Amino acid sequence: MSAKGELNPTARFLMGPGPSDVHPRVLKAMATPLIGHLDPQFITIMDGVMEMLRQLFRTQNDVTFAVSATGSAGMETCFVNLLEPGDEALVCVNGVFGNRMCDNVERCGAKVVRVDAPWGQIIEPAQVKQALQGCIPRLVAIVHAETSTGVLQPLEEISEITHKAGALLLVDTVTSLGGTDVRVDDWGIDVVYSGTQKCISAPPGLSPVSFGPRAVEVMDQRKTKVQSWYLDLSMVRKYWAGAKRAYHHTAPISMVYALYEALRLIFEEGLEARFERHLRNHELLRDGLEEMGFEFLVAPEYRLPMLNAVKVPAGVDEAAVRRQLLDQFNIEIGGGLGDFAGKLWRIGLMGCSSTQNHVNMLLGALRRILKR
Ligand SMILES: *Cc1c(COP(=O)(O)O)cnc(C)c1O
């Protein structure tokens, strides 16, 4: 058999729910020659990643590093390390990722107590408060930026309620981290995970996580072994942050390079400036879409700047429009999931994809396709 053709995908503008566009400096970093994963120079690079992640999460947590797999593995790392068979976990569900959390809890042999809100709306603190009267969960899990609906979830009040009930707060920040403020220590978040391919604008492949002192205590007091060998933090921690770095698995060196460079870009821009940019480009897109007669799914005060959930007008074939955007304009946007399949577009303005040019290009393309 002869070799297949060279890899040569068309350059696209990534404006869906992730991955987002990646800066050329990050791609270049990935082509940096490999060194060993226990090479002292690589360990210095890992230390740099951990330090920058602490600044991004705004935390002092020692146990802050990147799991060697995508955001879903970060989610699983949090649940498998904190839950033991027979535990209870309260999970807030207002979209796809809350449901995925419930599945994780069940696979740990723990009992799920669900708090549901309609998709497109926030979880109200009063709902959590009421649910906590009927259970004693080890943790309360909630999504900060629900990518399936475009909702930004306020966390502070729920954090207070959770701690009063003696539970840990576990938060999904896969889509929010790097695009809007995430204050792990100020908001009392005990456990948090994220991903690299959304507002951090690196390729998919790593999942930044952070565990606070209360969470570490719970892990240290486990009676049973973590059921996942690969994600067992009692071992992974020694590789990332132990006094003597011990082999656990071979870190994906090139992805660590990518994350290192992406984090450098974030701090060169500055967090406040970056959040401001995400907001400004969201507003530009919103104004343009509203001028064309489109409506957003989410109430203005809870809209995500990096993920715009827009209702598809009656009579428009949403999949056909997305296909035209891709084929004629090289723009990728996302469709709706679950109940919103066929009814929603999800337009991502994440990281390097959050620019005025991206917004204007998409608005121009939609005008052409829809003749508005
Ligand atoms: C994308 C996403 C995930 C899953 O991350 P993967 O990298 O696709 O595994 C989890 N939670 C939220 C909110 C997401 O947007």
Side-chain angles (χ1 to χ4, degrees):
M1 164 160 174
S2 56
K4 295 283 186 191
E6 197 181 341
L7 284 175
N8 194 20
T10 305
R12 307 286 201 199
F13 299 97
L14 299 178
M15 302 183 68
S20 56
D21 284 348
V22 174
H23 196 284
R25 264 174 54 188
V26 172
L27 296 175
K28 183 166 164 253
M30 294 184 83
T32 305
L34 290 194
I35 56 177
H37 71 114
L38 292 170
D39 187 311
Q41 292 190 19
F42 189 67
I43 286 172
T44 305
I45 294 167
M46 290 167 87
D47 288 345
V49 167
M50 288 191 287
E51 205 175 308
M52 287 190 283
L53 283 179
R54 280 187 201 105
Q55 288 178 48
L56 186 58
F57 277 126
R58 306 210 202 240
T59 184
Q60 310 278 338
N61 292 340
D62 275 339
V63 187
T64 303
F65 66 96
V67 174
S68 301
T70 69
S72 302
M75 180 189 291
E76 194 152 348
T77 299
C78 295
F79 285 106
V80 296
N81 281 279
L82 291 169
L83 293 177
E84 293 188 74
D87 283 347
E88 283 186 315
L90 194 152
V91 182
C92 301
V93 184
N94 57 351
V96 166
F97 295 101
N99 273 326
R100 190 174 293 185
M101 286 173 154
C102 292
D103 199 354
N104 269 269
V105 170
E106 283 167 3
R107 285 162 196 259
C108 294
K111 183 179 165 231
V112 183
V113 180
R114 285 175 72 110
V115 170
D116 280 275
W119 286 30
Q121 294 180 25
I122 61 160
I123 303 285
E124 294 291 347
Q127 292 179 271
V128 177
K129 198 167 180 177
Q130 193 184 353
L132 282 171
Q133 281 161 10
C135 59
I136 309 173
R138 168 126 298 167
L139 56 85
V140 171
I142 193 162
V143 178
H144 187 213
E146 193 27 280
T147 322
S148 61
T149 63
V151 167
L152 179 63
Q153 174 70 46
L155 293 172
E156 281 170 283
E157 211 175 323
I158 287 174
S159 172
E160 207 173 294
I161 294 166
T162 298
H163 292 133
K164 269 195 191 133
L168 300 172
L169 182 66
L170 188 166
V171 181
D172 176 321
T173 63
V174 176
T175 283
S176 49
L177 191 70
T180 192
D181 212 358
V182 173
R183 294 185 165 269
V184 168
D185 289 358
D186 288 352
W187 296 345
I189 299 173
D190 297 295
V191 200
V192 62
Y193 62 90
S194 189
T196 43
Q197 78 274 24
K198 303 206 179 167
C199 293
I200 294 176
S201 263
L206 287 176
S207 175
V209 293
S210 184
F211 290 76
R214 284 182 291 245
V216 171
E217 202 183 309
V218 167
M219 290 192 287
D220 287 347
Q221 287 173 2
R222 286 183 70 97
K223 295 182 197 74
T224 57
K225 264 190 175 180
V226 172
Q227 74 264 32
S228 164
W229 182 88
Y230 190 64
L231 303 176
D232 183 345
L233 277 196
S234 66
M235 298 188 286
V236 179
R237 254 166 84 186
K238 289 188 190 134
Y239 174 45
W240 269 88
K244 192 169 160 290
R245 306 293 174 93
Y247 167 68
H248 176 259
H249 65 278
T250 311
I253 313 281
S254 310
M255 267 311 298
V256 175
Y257 289 164
L259 178 56
Y260 184 89
E261 192 60 24
L263 290 167
R264 267 167 41 85
L265 282 160
I266 287 175
F267 290 105
E268 281 174 23
E269 180 176 12
L271 288 184
E272 297 307 332
R274 191 175 179 91
F275 302 154
E276 176 61 31
R277 168 167 64 83
H278 278 82
L279 202 57
R280 213 170 42 238
N281 290 318
H282 155 72
E283 287 166 358
L284 190 67
L285 178 69
R286 175 203 61 199
D287 292 350
L289 289 174
E290 285 180 351
E291 208 172 284
M292 290 165 70
F294 289 104
E295 283 173 34
F296 276 70
L297 173 70
V298 178
E301 61 270 38
Y302 301 123
R303 278 179 203 159
L304 289 174
M306 69 288 287
L307 194 285
N308 299 268
V310 181
K311 293 181 188 171
V312 176
V316 172
D317 177 349
E318 75 85 18
V321 172
R322 277 191 292 129
R323 191 57 204 252
Q324 272 177 290
L325 282 170
L326 195 63
D327 290 346
Q328 296 171 20
F329 298 92
N330 291 313
I331 296 172
E332 177 179 276
I333 66 168
L337 296 176
D339 292 350
F340 291 133
K343 296 176 190 158
L344 209 63
W345 284 315
R346 290 181 304 144
I347 303 169
L349 296 173
M350 300 179 177
C352 292
S353 295
S354 175
T355 74
Q356 244 183 61
N357 280 344
H358 281 80
V359 171
N360 289 330
M361 205 166 40
L362 176 65
L363 289 171
L366 281 173
R367 272 188 209 107
R368 288 281 284 275
I369 293 170
L370 298 168
K371 306 194 169 53
R372 286 183 186 222

